[in-house]
Amino acid sequence: MTTLNLSWLEDFLALAASGHFSRAADERHMTQPAFSRRIRALETWLGAELFDRSNQPATLTDTGQWFNGIATDMLAKAAKIPGEARAFNEANANTLRIASTHALSFTFMPYWLRGLESQMAIGQVQLISDVLQRCETMLLESQVQFLLTHTHAEAINALDTQGYPSIVVGEDLLVPVSAPKKDGTPLHALNKRATKNPAKLLSYSAESGIGRIVAQTQAANASPWPTETVFTAHLASVLRTMALDGRGMAWLPQSLIHEDLARGVLVEAAPDMAGIKMAIKLYRDKTALSKAGEDFWSANLR
């Protein structure tokens, strides 16, 4: 009997998405004949046809539509196996595996850990710093035990929707800032009346957690600020550098720029606006943690 190859499921989903064998074969980096044989092998294993090939693009049969959800679920479960295996293997280990968004990893995290060390002995910490989208994936697949990130009530993330436990461990403020003119006023000021001359915006990419917060809070604003995006990046630190160079205004966390504001090398682009309040949240894996992990979580609950 034919044995299931998990990569066939990825082939199936690629073809289900486009309906074109040649396009799906290119996406899977193989020739069309080889790709077609793999789809046939999957259908043989199942004992049913998954695609109606009588028309182009090919469409899913009733069985194919049913199997679409099955294949997605099987691949998601398979992706979690290595992380869960590591978690099981390290059940008695002392290493804490923490994913953190870039801005918090070098602003908030050092002071936060120092405060926790007064309550408990923190052993080895393995920190992975990345954009929120990748950090979320790491926690969803149990590659890390914890995730530290900025959050906002209007920017729900994948962990919230799936019920991952979380604790608020700090606060931050998102401030629109610009390099100053000689008179100290912002070089790139936000002005709701300046619709014909919008402020130059240094923007975040879609993978950025802060970018999500800015986008969703502005989308909820009945009268959003008129801006024109001139530069996009993943990291707040990159946008800070561009703002310091006078390239535009950026929404930056106060924890990152408090010294710049104190020195006057950055000024608020909308001085009359209060900014966007953010919570700093610690999320944890749903599965059982090591003793060190549970102790670390408990210390944050106090």
Side-chain angles (χ1 to χ4, degrees), residues 65-83:
Q65 291 177 3
W66 164 81
F67 187 66
N68 196 28
I70 300 293
T72 301
D73 187 54
M74 288 176 70
L75 286 173
K77 288 180 178 178
K80 294 193 71 170
I81 290 173

Side-chain angles (χ1 to χ4, degrees), residues 75-140:
L75 286 173
K77 288 180 178 178
K80 294 193 71 170
I81 290 173
E84 290 177 351
R86 283 192 296 271
F88 181 82
N89 186 54
E90 296 174 7
N92 296 313
N94 292 323
T95 300
L96 299 174
R97 302 188 313 279
I98 306 174
S100 172
T101 50
H102 287 284
L104 290 175
S105 66
F106 57 84
T107 56
F108 176 79
M109 177 169 279
Y111 306 101
W112 170 58
L113 290 178
R114 190 177 305 143
L116 289 172
E117 284 173 339
S118 65
Q119 305 176 44
M120 62 173 291
I122 297 177
Q124 182 178 350
V125 176
Q126 180 185 354
L127 172 65
I128 303 173
S129 181
D130 213 324
V131 293
L132 178 58
Q133 189 175 81
R134 297 190 192 114
C135 288
E136 285 174 338
T137 298
M138 284 186 277
L139 187 58
L140 289 167

